[in-house]
Amino acid sequence: MTRHELVKRSAAQRAAIIAAAQPLLRAAAAPDRISGYVRRYPAGIAIAAAAIAVLGPRKLLAAGARLLTLYTLFRQLAR
């Protein structure tokens, strides 16, 4: 086999590997974004975990729903 044929064969194999890896790359994108967020904002994650531990998930979810309602109301009033 000549060098040119080997290079051509290698390019075809590389393209096949990249095509086969696309579903894995899409599936790994979300955990990668989450881990990047955790690395950038460790204090925010620690505060959120402490709030869940102290208040409990139900109270925190209820408070979050109320805050979201107020936030959307104020945004509409600001327009």
Side-chain angles (χ1 to χ4, degrees), residues 34-47:
I34 292 169
S35 66
Y37 184 83
V38 170
R39 280 189 217 114
R40 279 190 303 265
Y41 306 107
I45 300 300
I47 290 170

Side-chain angles (χ1 to χ4, degrees), residues 9-26:
R9 181 176 165 193
S10 176
Q13 289 174 345
R14 195 176 306 114
I17 290 171
I18 290 171
Q22 288 304 315
L24 295 174
L25 293 174
R26 281 193 296 271

Side-chain angles (χ1 to χ4, degrees), residues 16-79:
I17 290 171
I18 290 171
Q22 288 304 315
L24 295 174
L25 293 174
R26 281 193 296 271
D32 187 48
R33 282 193 306 270
I34 292 169
S35 66
Y37 184 83
V38 170
R39 280 189 217 114
R40 279 190 303 265
Y41 306 107
I45 300 300
I47 290 170
I52 290 171
V54 171
L55 298 175
R58 284 189 182 177
K59 286 184 182 179
L60 198 60
L61 186 61
R66 276 180 272 174
L67 286 173
L68 181 62
T69 302
L70 287 174
Y71 173 74
T72 55
L73 176 67
F74 285 130
R75 281 196 62 189
Q76 288 180 356
L77 290 174
R79 290 183 185 181

